[in-house]
Amino acid sequence: MVTLQTMDTIFYEAQRQGRISFYVTTIGEEAINIASAAAVTSDDFVFPQYREPGVLIWRGFTPQEFASQCFGNRADYGKGRQMPIHYGSNKHKYFTVSSTIATQIPQAVGAAYSLKMDKKDACVVTYFGDGGTSEGDFHAGLNFAAVTEAPVIFICRNNGWAISTPTSDQFRSDGIAVRGQAYGVRSIRVDGNDALAMYSAVHTARKMAVNEHRPILIEAVTYRVGHHSTSDDSTKYRPADEIEWWRMARDPVTRFRKWIESNGWWSGEAETQLRSSIRSQLLLAIQMAEKVEKPPVKELFTDVYDDLPSNLREQEKLLRETISRHPQDYPADVPH
C-alpha cells in the first residue's frame, strides 16, 4: 500500500511537470487494491478498470514496468499505443485496461465460464466503480454470470463519485450489493478502507467461486480522495473539507499501519526507511524510462492482422510521407 501511495504521488507530480500526458491515482482505495490481490492466487485472472495498479504491484510488476508504460517507450508492453496507466501484463494474468467503462465485466464472465468448462482450479476477478454499475454491461454481466454459474468475483469500488456524478444522482437503491442479490448473485458489502475486512471477504469469495462454481459480488465502500484523473478538479463539485476528512481520518494505509504497530510488527523507523527506499526506486525508474527510445512508427499498424491489409499499408505510407514533409511536427525520439 505504501508503494502504491508513493507511486501515485510521484507519477502525479510527473504529469504536472509535463513529463507524462495523463495519470489516475488510487488515493484512498489502496486497501481494496492490495488486500484483494493478496486474497486470490496467481492462477486467477484479473480484468481491471483503471484504478487497480496495486493488484499489479502485488503480482510483481516492477516500478520500471509502470514507468515504461506511462512514458510509452520501447519497453512498454503496449508499444506506446495506450494512454498512461492503461497497464496490461500477460505474465501476471492482468488484462489490459480499457478506458470505456464496464466493458471488462461481461468479458470477465466469459473468461470465468471458460475456466469452468476447462475444469480449472481458478477464478476471475473484475473491478469497477459505482459509475460502472450504471452501464448496461454491469447488468448483462451479472445476469450472464448467475445463469452460467461462472466462478467470477465482482469487486465494486463504491467510492461515491463517477467523475463528478455522486451516487445519489446515479441510483436510489441501497448501494450496489442489493443489485447482485436481485440477479441471484451472492453479495456482500464491506468496508473498503479496512484491509483485513477486504482480505477476509475476497478470500472467502474465492473459495465459494472456485469450489461452488458461483459468482460473488463484493461492494467495497470507500471514497475517492484524489481527483478523478489529472484532467479533473474535484474541488469544483465537492467540498474540500470532505476530501481532507477522508484523507486524514479514514486513510486505509494509516489505519493498517496503526494496527501492525500496535501488534509490535512495525515501527516509525521502519516506515521511514520503507518510504525512502520506494521513493528512490520510483524516481530512478522515471529517469530511466524517460531516456528509453519510443517504439517505431511501424508498431502503430502491427499486432491486429497477421498480414497487414492494403488499407493499413496505405495509411503507413501516407504517415511516413507526412512525417518526411513536416518533421518539426513529430517527436524526434520516435524512430521512423
Side-chain angles (χ1 to χ4, degrees):
M1 288 194 285
V2 168
T3 301
L4 178 55
Q5 204 173 57
T6 309
M7 184 173 79
D8 276 348
T9 299
I10 292 174
F11 279 58
Y12 187 88
E13 290 171 354
Q15 192 282 332
R16 287 299 188 238
Q17 293 165 359
R19 297 162 80 180
I20 58 177
S21 60
F22 179 79
Y23 194 71
V24 168
T25 67
T26 314
I27 304 168
E29 301 177 42
E30 295 91 350
I32 295 173
N33 272 235
I34 303 300
S36 64
V40 297
T41 76
S42 58
D43 293 326
D44 300 325
F45 290 83
V46 177
F47 283 74
Q49 189 169 328
Y50 41 62
R51 223 177 290 277
E52 294 84 24
V55 178
L56 266 181
I57 289 174
W58 183 267
R59 291 194 166 200
F61 209 68
T62 66
Q64 198 61 61
E65 288 172 308
F66 280 111
S68 293
Q69 196 286 325
C70 286
F71 281 89
N73 63 30
R74 191 184 280 271
D76 169 29
Y77 301 133
K79 301 182 181 179
R81 299 164 179 150
Q82 276 275 24
M83 292 170 65
I85 68 90
H86 288 54
Y87 311 111
S89 177
N90 287 344
K91 66 182 176 182
H92 296 106
K93 294 185 171 63
Y94 191 96
F95 280 71
T96 303
V97 171
S98 175
S99 286
T100 42
I101 301 300
T103 54
Q104 72 276 15
I105 298 175
Q107 295 166 359
V109 179
Y113 190 34
S114 74
L115 291 176
K116 177 183 175 180
M117 289 191 294
D118 289 340
K119 295 180 170 53
K120 299 288 188 182
D121 184 24
C123 69
V124 173
V125 186
T126 185
Y127 298 82
F128 46 92
D130 48 273
T133 70
S134 298
E135 296 286 341
D137 279 345
F138 167 79
H139 299 276
L142 258 69
N143 192 57
F144 181 21
V147 171
T148 58
E149 297 180 325
V152 56
I153 304 171
F154 301 102
I155 299 180
C156 174
R157 298 175 291 90
N158 185 354
N159 63 23
W161 297 90
I163 307 183
S164 59
T165 305
T167 52
S168 58
D169 287 349
Q170 294 182 61
F171 51 80
R172 293 302 164 91
S173 60
D174 180 17
I176 311 300
V178 292
R179 301 193 196 184
Q181 293 169 352
Y183 282 111
V185 175
R186 190 175 289 175
S187 307
I188 187 172
R189 179 181 292 160
V190 181
D191 181 352
N193 286 28
D194 183 342
L196 298 177
M198 275 303 301
Y199 178 86
S200 176
V202 178
H203 183 72
T204 303
R206 185 189 184 278
K207 285 184 179 178
M208 293 176 180
V210 174
N211 297 334
E212 301 176 28
H213 295 295
R214 64 160 67 239
I216 307 291
L217 169 63
I218 297 173
E219 176 187 2
V221 180
T222 184
Y223 187 83
R224 194 196 75 214
V225 173
H227 305 300
H228 173 73
S229 71
T230 48
S231 302
D232 174 48
D233 179 3
S234 62
T235 61
K236 301 292 185 185
Y237 53 81
R238 57 183 186 171
D241 57 349
E242 174 184 296
I243 301 171
E244 193 60 22
W245 184 81
W246 279 91
R247 183 193 302 276
M248 301 303 295
R250 300 284 294 168
D251 175 43
V253 185
T254 302
R255 187 172 173 180
F256 189 72
R257 175 177 57 78
K258 288 180 177 178
W259 181 72
I260 56 175
E261 281 182 347
S262 69
N263 282 281
W265 302 330
W266 197 241
S267 67
E269 182 182 354
E271 178 85 7
T272 301
Q273 291 176 353
L274 175 66
R275 287 185 179 273
S276 176
S277 172
I278 291 169
R279 182 175 175 81
S280 297
Q281 291 175 46
L282 288 163
L283 288 172
L284 178 62
I286 284 180
Q287 291 166 8
M288 292 179 66
E290 279 185 309
K291 297 173 184 176
V292 176
E293 191 177 54
K294 303 297 184 189
V297 164
K298 68 177 182 180
E299 297 289 12
L300 280 171
F301 305 94
T302 57
D303 294 336
V304 176
Y305 297 96
D306 184 28
D307 294 313
L308 209 62
S310 58
N311 64 315
L312 288 184
R313 287 199 298 271
E314 178 67 14
Q315 285 182 29
E316 182 179 358
K317 178 173 172 286
L318 290 171
L319 176 59
R320 291 184 183 281
E321 290 173 355
T322 304
I323 293 173
S324 297
R325 286 199 305 271
H326 308 282
Q328 72 281 1
D329 296 329
Y330 289 85
D333 60 346
V334 176
H336 302 160

